[in-house]
Amino acid sequence: VYTSDLVWDAAARTLTDTATGAVYAPDDRGNFVSADGDRLAAGWYVNVGFDNFVRAFTDRAYAGPLLQVGAWTFAFAILTVLTSFGLGLLFAMIYNDPRVRGRKVLRTVFILPYAFPAFMSALLWRGMLNAEFGVVNEWFLLGADVNWLGDPWLAKLAIFWVNLWLSYPYWFLVTTGALQAVPSETLEAARVDGAGRSRQFRSITLPLLLVSTAPLAIASFAFNFNNFTIIFMLTGGGPAFRGASVPMGSTDILISAIYQI
């Protein structure tokens, strides 16, 4: 058991070191300083060993929310990569068709969300999803009372939507370039052999795309695994878990939960 050498004198409001006899009095900066200028360090070291790690997995009020946050972090990162890649690829295939008019203008419009700072977009969407005055409820849902950011599942859905809005232009750009790099001779040969569009996509286009985009998908997963900005700016990690011993919320990911703690 740790025993401090410092003794508190309530009347004099000083600390006395019983080992050295030095007396420490508070100064105007909140520090305890002796007559010779020696300053006490704030607090003292106590060896806790693995107690905090044991508590993290045995205390239900702590372990339960922590496990939920961990599972949500993986789900958020994986689903964000899959959905943004799929939507970006869909738009890339549509606007890679030479029969589409105004492709250059439309491509510019579709990458605009990527040009805005993520924190600014998150704040704008936070206002638009406001339950009382938000544009989404007032205009698009005809005044419906939907608490987008106050319900755990709706808040997660809102995060998915906003992050998809921010992420798909990146994959739109990447897959557009990758599609244009697919050899036209290979597709023509497959067409001559009787392969339809779906078979060409499954057997030629998609495998060639994955060769060039797989490393980027891994990097995108790592980015979204630690995507603090979208979580903090949109929901602040809330709504909070009930009965949790630490300030964690339903939409917190690991990095935002650590920040909250």
Side-chain angles (χ1 to χ4, degrees):
V1 178
Y2 175 81
T3 303
S4 176
D5 292 330
L6 298 172
V7 177
W8 171 247
D9 186 340
R13 300 184 62 82
T14 59
L15 285 169
T16 302
D17 190 335
T18 57
T20 63
V23 178
Y24 297 87
D27 61 8
D28 56 357
R29 295 186 178 182
N31 299 309
F32 281 87
V33 184
S34 65
D36 58 1
D38 185 23
R39 180 181 301 173
L40 285 178
W44 51 82
Y45 293 103
V46 178
N47 183 20
V48 297
F50 291 95
D51 291 349
N52 289 334
F53 294 97
V54 172
R55 175 172 171 258
F57 294 99
T58 57
D59 184 355
R60 291 185 178 181
Y62 188 91
L66 182 62
L67 291 176
Q68 291 184 56
V69 167
W72 160 243
T73 302
F74 279 96
F76 168 71
I78 293 172
L79 291 177
T80 294
V81 173
L82 293 177
T83 54
S84 58
F85 174 81
L87 186 61
L89 177 58
L90 175 63
F91 286 142
M93 294 181 66
I94 292 174
Y95 295 110
N96 197 48
D97 192 329
R99 294 173 297 178
V100 177
R101 295 182 178 180
R103 289 188 300 162
K104 293 183 179 180
V105 176
L106 291 172
R107 283 173 176 170
T108 302
V109 171
F110 272 85
I111 65 173
L112 282 179
Y114 194 51
F116 291 97
F119 77 92
M120 183 184 298
S121 297
L123 289 176
L124 287 173
W125 276 103
R126 182 171 184 169
M128 293 170 63
L129 292 170
N130 184 277
E132 297 181 6
F133 312 108
V135 172
V136 174
N137 282 354
E138 292 294 326
W139 292 5
F140 297 101
L141 299 180
L142 304 178
D145 184 16
V146 181
N147 192 4
W148 291 102
L149 305 180
D151 179 83
W153 289 105
L154 289 178
K156 291 179 180 179
L157 181 63
I159 286 177
F160 268 126
W161 167 253
V162 175
N163 208 34
L164 178 62
W165 165 264
L166 293 170
S167 302
Y168 88 85
Y170 169 76
W171 287 111
F172 176 56
L173 289 173
V174 170
T175 52
T176 295
L179 284 173
Q180 293 175 353
V182 175
S184 58
E185 298 82 2
T186 305
L187 295 175
E188 182 63 27
R191 193 177 301 112
V192 171
D193 289 340
R197 289 191 175 183
S198 61
R199 183 58 185 272
Q200 293 177 37
F201 176 77
R202 294 196 313 270
S203 301
I204 299 175
T205 305
L206 185 59
L208 291 176
L209 280 176
L210 293 178
V211 169
S212 58
T213 59
L216 298 176
I218 296 173
S220 180
F221 170 82
F223 172 80
N224 284 288
F225 193 88
N226 297 291
N227 195 345
F228 176 84
T229 302
I230 188 69
I231 302 296
F232 187 75
M233 291 297 180
L234 187 60
T235 65
F241 288 121
R242 294 183 179 179
S245 60
V246 288
M248 293 184 189
S250 300
T251 58
D252 266 321
I253 57 177
L254 288 173
I255 189 171
S256 65
I258 292 172
Y259 174 81
Q260 301 280 15
I261 295 173

